[in-house]
Amino acid sequence: MGVYGGLGPMTNAVLWVQVVVFAVFVGLRLYTRKSILNAVGADDYLAILSLVLQIIYTVFVTVASCYGLGQKLADVGNQDIYFTAVKYELFSQVAGLMVIGVGKAAVGMFLLRIVRNRIQIWFIRVCLAITAFITLFASITVIVQCTPVERSWNHSVPGTCWLDFSKVGYTVGSWFVAADFSFAILPWFVVWDLNMKQKEKITVALGLSLGVFAGVCGIVRTVALSGLNASEYIYDTVPMLIWSATESTVTIMCSTIPVLRPLYIRIRYGKDGKDSSNGGNSSYKLPLYGSGRKYGILSIPGPGASVVEKKGGAYQTTVMKHQKNNTSDETILRGAAGIERTDEISVTYEPYGKKF
């Protein structure tokens, strides 16, 4: 083992605290989706994968700090130990790049659950495809940027480096920032077309656009990539390591907060989720208007449809009208964020029978 000190202990403390925060948000997300909404999706599984990768990332950084990460070569005092710290830091960067990429994918998959416009769907899919490609490319090249591979972390080994990874890092970082802001702006276009009150639109859109904070963290992390070309690698790259973990943590936090709305309703208004402000209706329960007579409500074939029922010796025509005034068009958000549409149904009966 090498020396442990310098910026190493502080780096470990920050990263492990973020792991705990990361785990808490993922746990609350899964509880809400499974126990309250019963709508676990691909974005939730990606959030779990992100947590696993975040732990792996933090473990590698912790191991690297035991070999001198956070200190300069003169403080470590042994070149071989110094290069070992560089090796484990490079391994951590593989996990760090992947956790950020998977986090962006989780945000994209979340948006796919609420987007209905075909152009917007394809835009998200293209962003996800590009994110997957550059994440895999950067994760691989960070290790194999030199020939032989060992030269990637030990420059005393004879060989050549065929790639300047700092350029790859800036490219990947810039794309991650662009993806964050794109995914933060897109919900405004989605929500603004819904039949909702303007106040509700702004509230929902702001909740779905928290990813802008992840974008800010991404900008800071991209600026910190300057440490990749520094002479004291394991010392000057500490800000990059911390901001990489921060970006991934904030990404999951921002994508999870909108999902926790049903949990907030349950905690505030009780298990039934009854909010006096909306007439006692749950904001996350499944709608009853499509469940047939089981709940004492007629099944609705469609707006304005007529249903003929026999009452004794006569027949009655039931005309159902779909009221759109002062209603919310939020059903598409129900499984994703616990927001559902409330519709008003008026039923009129027109009795008729044989004329004598």
Side-chain angles (χ1 to χ4, degrees), residues 59-129:
V59 168
F60 274 126
V61 172
T62 301
V63 173
S65 67
C66 294
Y67 288 95
L69 184 143
Q71 301 184 79
K72 297 181 179 181
L73 177 59
D75 298 323
V76 175
N78 186 304
Q79 194 173 52
D80 292 334
I81 295 177
Y82 182 90
F83 288 139
T84 301
V86 175
K87 178 178 68 174
Y88 283 109
E89 181 181 334
L90 289 179
F91 291 164
S92 74
Q93 290 181 26
V94 174
L97 287 166
M98 293 187 68
V99 68
I100 295 176
V102 173
K104 309 305 179 192
V107 176
M109 294 303 295
F110 171 81
L111 291 176
L112 284 176
R113 300 181 68 165
I114 66 176
V115 171
R116 292 296 178 267
N117 183 281
R118 184 171 299 180
I119 296 177
Q120 294 172 351
I121 291 174
W122 277 107
F123 173 78
I124 295 173
R125 288 176 176 175
V126 170
C127 289
L128 290 176

Side-chain angles (χ1 to χ4, degrees), residues 4-14 65 69:
Y4 181 75
L7 300 177
M10 180 272 294
T11 304
N12 290 333
V14 172
S65 67
L69 184 143

